[in-house]
Amino acid sequence: MGRVVVDVMPKPEILDPQGKAVAGALPRLGFDQFVSVRQGKRFELEVEGDVTPEVLDAAQRAAETVLSNPVIEDVVRVADIEADAAATVESEGLA
Amino acid sequence: MSAAGARIGVITFPGTLDDRDAARAVRLAGAEAVSLWHGDADLHDVDAVVLPGGFSYGDYLRAGAISRFAPVMEKVVDAANGGLPVLGICNGFQVLTEVHLLPGSMIKNDHLSFICREQPLVVENASTAWTNEYEQGQRIVVPLKNQDGQYVADEHTLDELEGEGRVVFRYDGWNPNGSRRGIAGVTNARGNVVGLMPHPEHAVEAGFGPASADGPRSGTDGLTFFTSVLAYLVAA
């Protein structure tokens, strides 16, 4: 079972009211080092087999046509999360 | 055609709330209201279509984003491109932006709260299919009730809308949701598709509308949307 993760964020020029509200709440809990917050969305798309380049391509198209609205949002990541995790472990092992 | 023979479709999506009020507004204006179902890819020969307000599909993903793919919407897009008058109110407006019949999009209100108030508006374009019986610059009051009502578009699009007279309504006075340039409603280049966040269908019958000079709940400013489209159909 493969999984593709799609991250969608509000465009930088669009005010993010939810992020602003979260940013306002953080200092009240003592987290005063964060000067701004932007809130996005993460989708996890599961497929039966492996995450092939075709699957990633389909995920990219789905991200741009359904999962995001290009007027207000940017697709910032479309990735095979298992492969990403493996790559991270590998790079940490080398270090 | 005569106004009495006009058939105006009102679409119901899962989670639509104001379809019955919209149908009632159509009848009060003197036309026949035809219920259209989201899953039925057929407009049943209606002369105009209203996409009413509510929370279709629970506003999941983005407001209007999933309704856009309803079978009936493909027919609406084709017909709208062919000149059929289409009105999107609140969630219906959000659906029209998601399906690209109207530019821009709506995000959460700048103050993050749901807002419900009697909203003064200025009619900026009194020549669309849905506003031709208003006067240019007329001030009207209809209810506004939404959470994701902040109209946004890039500066280029906003300039284009202003330049082409496609801003149909602007909030009068205080901007209730942070909409760019106080925009409450817009139209397409042809003027047959109109979308707005406030609710004209809730201001069509004395006793049930917003306050007016005639007293509490007496406002019927919204009825002119529905009589305008009938005038447009008769003239066509």
Side-chain angles (χ1 to χ4, degrees):
Chain A
M1 196 82 90
R3 229 181 319 167
V4 178
V5 65
V6 174
D7 289 334
V8 173
M9 291 297 291
K11 277 188 185 297
E13 66 270 27
I14 300 269
L15 171 79
D16 170 18
Q18 294 179 99
K20 219 173 126 194
V22 175
L26 286 173
R28 294 202 287 274
L29 291 170
F31 299 108
D32 48 14
Q33 54 276 73
F34 305 112
V35 294
S36 90
V37 178
R38 297 185 70 76
Q39 182 181 326
K41 292 175 191 159
R42 172 186 169 114
F43 299 87
E44 293 188 358
L45 311 177
E46 231 166 59
V47 288
E48 288 290 354
D50 290 337
V51 175
T52 61
E54 290 73 34
V55 165
L56 276 177
D57 182 57
Q60 180 74 39
R61 279 183 286 125
E64 286 165 6
T65 53
V66 184
L67 304 182
S68 72
N69 177 342
V71 176
I72 50 173
E73 296 166 322
D74 289 326
V75 177
V76 295
R77 184 162 77 125
V78 177
D80 174 352
I81 45 173
E82 313 298 333
D84 270 17
T88 307
V89 169
E90 202 172 299
S91 68
E92 278 171 358
L94 287 172
Chain B
M1 117 186 306
S2 75
R7 290 159 45 82
I8 301 186
V10 178
I11 301 180
T12 301
F13 297 99
T16 295
L17 300 177
D18 300 322
D19 42 348
R20 293 175 74 94
D21 280 38
R24 185 169 175 77
V26 165
R27 286 193 295 271
L28 287 168
E32 182 190 345
V34 178
S35 295
L36 299 176
W37 185 240
H38 68 99
D40 185 9
D42 189 341
L43 295 182
H44 298 278
D45 295 321
V46 293
D47 303 303
V49 169
V50 179
L51 281 73
F55 293 86
S56 62
Y57 292 94
D59 274 355
Y60 295 163
L61 190 58
R62 298 175 302 279
I66 298 181
S67 300
R68 170 201 165 179
F69 298 100
V72 75
M73 284 310 297
E74 199 178 316
K75 301 290 175 190
V76 169
V77 170
D78 282 351
N81 288 331
L84 187 84
V86 176
L87 175 66
I89 302 167
C90 195
N91 191 223
F93 182 19
Q94 292 159 340
V95 176
L96 292 180
T97 63
E98 283 284 342
V99 80
H100 310 308
L101 279 175
L102 292 173
S105 185
M106 259 65 65
I107 63 171
K108 219 157 276 305
N109 295 340
D110 59 352
H111 46 74
L112 295 167
S113 300
F114 184 92
I115 189 165
C116 180
R117 70 194 299 258
E118 298 182 355
Q119 179 63 51
L121 302 172
V122 179
V123 180
E124 299 269 334
N125 179 341
S127 57
T128 76
W130 297 92
T131 58
N132 57 74
E133 293 208 327
Y134 288 112
E135 299 292 329
Q136 192 78 21
Q138 188 178 337
R139 282 173 161 69
I140 65 169
V141 177
V142 300
L144 173 78
K145 43 166 197 161
N146 64 64
Q147 170 134 320
D148 289 11
Q150 180 180 173
Y151 183 76
V152 296
D154 60 50
E155 288 298 310
H156 171 76
T157 304
L158 293 170
D159 288 342
E160 200 173 84
L161 286 172
E162 303 263 16
E164 295 174 1
R166 290 169 55 195
V167 173
V168 184
F169 294 98
R170 233 184 278 270
Y171 297 111
D172 189 16
W174 179 62
N175 183 336
N177 47 31
S179 287
R180 298 294 174 280
R181 306 190 191 185
I183 293 173
V186 299
T187 186
N188 62 345
R190 198 167 173 167
N192 61 308
V193 180
V194 170
L196 78 165
M197 286 312 294
H199 287 262
E201 83 285 15
H202 294 329
V204 294
E205 188 175 13
F208 304 94
S212 79
D214 297 330
R217 295 181 293 281
S218 61
T220 57
D221 288 347
L223 189 62
T224 307
F225 274 77
F226 303 92
T227 54
S228 289
V229 76
L230 294 184
Y232 176 87
L233 290 170
V234 170

